[in-house]
Amino acid sequence: MTDTLDGSGNGSSILNSKGITHIIHAGPKERSKFPSDEEFVECVVKSVQNCIILAERNNFEKLAVPLVGGDIFLGKADIEKLAEGIIRGVANQLAECQKVKEIMLIDFDKKPPYLFLKKIQQLEKELFSTTVPLSADRFIGILKNNNKTNSWIGQQKTIKVKVGDIRDKNLHSCSAIVNAANTYYGMGSGLAGAIKAQTGNAGKINAKAKELISEFNSLIDDSSGPEQPKPNPKPGDNPKPGKKQPSDDSQGPAPDNGNGNNDNEDNGKDDSQEPTDKGPKKDTDQSPNEWREELKNIDPNLEQSFTDTKIAE
């Protein structure tokens, strides 16, 4: 999460002047990183759920969420399945919250069909105890109280859908908004570009977001560090029937090293013979910008040859 100024609370911005003070950067990977649409949707859903967790930890009561992953990173995936997955994931995570009471799903499209609006009306009997279709471009649903662990006494958990501009606080009344795509932690075009245009210093916000995400990744990748909290066991959709899920004390599947092989496979080598001064293995799933930073550390001239055009390719 960053502010809407320069990432460090300095300066001014159009968004801040409207009362939108924070951006939560979802940052899922694009469809091409996954063998199936289902796994891509699951990644996006978990990223949105993490956004809600972050809003909860920072005492926000409302959060505005666009169709994360639905633009250039979608590939040929089914966008309706993505919209449904996000709605289900939002409902599951909102049910676990004590402070966040309302999620506003924003259909940023300029013309129909409005995906959130379409899918949520198909799910209303399953997810909501009460619904209020205000008009052709608005929806309000009060979640069913199926939560067995937290008390909802005196509370209502609400999901709303509106069509319009997520940068307009009059539309959603939220001080925090979610940045839609941002796979490589840079606000480029589309909705992310629209948000970028109304920040104070997008370059510094990008740098701050990248710094925070790198810190987050180091925490979840560092097995030698302190034990991290267990993730919410509720994904956007239930696991595949019959697919065995790892227990809390199991190691789970080995990470993919980027070429389709598991790093932990036994290749007949004696690991004890490996040199001890090689240092940690590089993460082959780093973004091009991260590799460019590595080159810069070796020789500043190398960084210059790794152009933005190359990165785009």
Side-chain angles (χ1 to χ4, degrees):
M1 183 172 70
T2 66
D3 58 54
T4 56
L5 301 171
D6 68 347
S8 299
N10 299 315
S12 61
S13 73
I14 297 173
L15 287 175
N16 190 266
S17 67
K18 296 176 182 177
I20 300 175
T21 57
H22 289 83
I23 304 168
I24 299 182
H25 305 268
K29 294 181 180 179
E30 69 268 31
R31 170 62 183 87
S32 62
K33 295 290 186 181
F34 301 93
S36 69
D37 286 359
E38 182 181 29
E39 289 170 90
F40 164 67
V41 170
E42 182 180 19
C43 173
V44 174
V45 168
K46 287 181 177 178
S47 76
V48 173
Q49 289 180 314
N50 279 339
C51 292
I52 297 172
I53 291 171
L54 196 53
E56 172 82 358
R57 289 178 179 175
N58 286 274
N59 300 316
F60 288 103
E61 293 188 356
K62 300 178 180 182
L63 181 65
V65 179
L67 187 65
V68 175
D71 198 0
I72 61 174
F73 303 111
L74 179 69
K76 295 182 179 179
D78 187 332
I79 196 168
E80 290 198 16
K81 288 183 179 179
L82 176 64
E84 179 176 346
I86 291 174
I87 292 169
R88 290 183 181 277
V90 164
N92 284 342
Q93 197 64 54
L94 183 59
E96 300 293 327
C97 292
Q98 293 295 311
K99 296 171 183 173
V100 178
K101 298 179 176 64
E102 179 179 300
I103 301 295
M104 180 73 74
L105 299 174
I106 305 296
D107 273 319
F108 193 69
D109 304 305
K110 304 300 183 185
K111 58 183 179 181
Y114 302 125
L115 290 167
F116 278 145
L117 203 59
K118 175 182 177 181
K119 299 307 295 187
I120 206 164
Q121 288 173 339
Q122 294 173 358
L123 297 170
E124 62 176 299
K125 291 182 179 179
E126 177 183 348
L127 298 179
F128 304 106
S129 60
T130 305
T131 59
V132 184
L134 298 179
S135 64
D137 60 354
R138 297 188 179 193
F139 174 92
I140 296 176
I142 298 173
L143 282 183
K144 291 181 179 179
N145 188 354
N146 295 325
N147 193 306
K148 304 300 181 184
T149 58
N150 298 326
S151 172
W152 283 18
I153 296 175
Q155 295 188 24
Q156 286 184 338
K157 303 295 183 70
T158 306
I159 297 177
K160 298 180 180 180
V161 179
K162 289 189 179 181
V163 176
D165 191 338
I166 197 170
R167 302 171 301 173
D168 180 6
K169 192 181 181 185
N170 291 328
L171 178 72
H172 50 68
S173 303
C174 299
S175 298
I177 62 176
V178 172
N179 181 12
N182 211 28
T183 302
Y184 292 120
Y185 322 128
M187 292 185 287
S189 59
L191 176 55
I195 293 173
K196 169 184 175 180
Q198 294 193 2
T199 60
N201 189 321
K204 288 186 176 181
I205 288 175
N206 282 340
K208 183 65 175 178
K210 182 178 176 182
E211 173 190 331
L212 294 172
I213 291 169
S214 295
E215 179 183 343
F216 173 80
N217 286 337
S218 70
L219 287 174
I220 63 173
D221 290 340
D222 183 7
S223 58
S224 64
E227 182 179 355
Q228 300 302 314
K230 296 289 190 297
N232 188 327
K234 284 187 174 182
D237 294 299
N238 292 326
K240 294 179 183 177
K243 183 176 180 181
K244 184 177 180 181
Q245 301 298 311
S247 60
D248 289 342
D249 56 355
S250 66
Q251 187 172 353
D256 191 308
N257 65 8
N259 61 7
N261 298 321
N262 283 340
D263 287 332
N264 291 340
E265 281 186 0
D266 183 1
N267 294 319
K269 294 181 180 179
D270 183 354
D271 291 340
S272 65
Q273 300 303 311
E274 291 290 325
T276 57
D277 59 348
K278 288 176 65 177
K281 183 179 290 187
K282 295 305 295 179
D283 178 9
T284 57
D285 200 32
Q286 285 179 298
S287 74
N289 271 319
E290 289 171 317
W291 282 112
R292 181 158 67 176
E293 289 298 317
E294 295 288 346
L295 290 173
K296 186 192 298 184
N297 291 334
I298 298 170
D299 182 344
N301 291 327
L302 292 176
E303 184 267 342
Q304 298 301 322
S305 66
F306 204 174
T307 64
D308 290 336
T309 302
K310 263 301 188 216
I311 288 178
E313 291 175 1

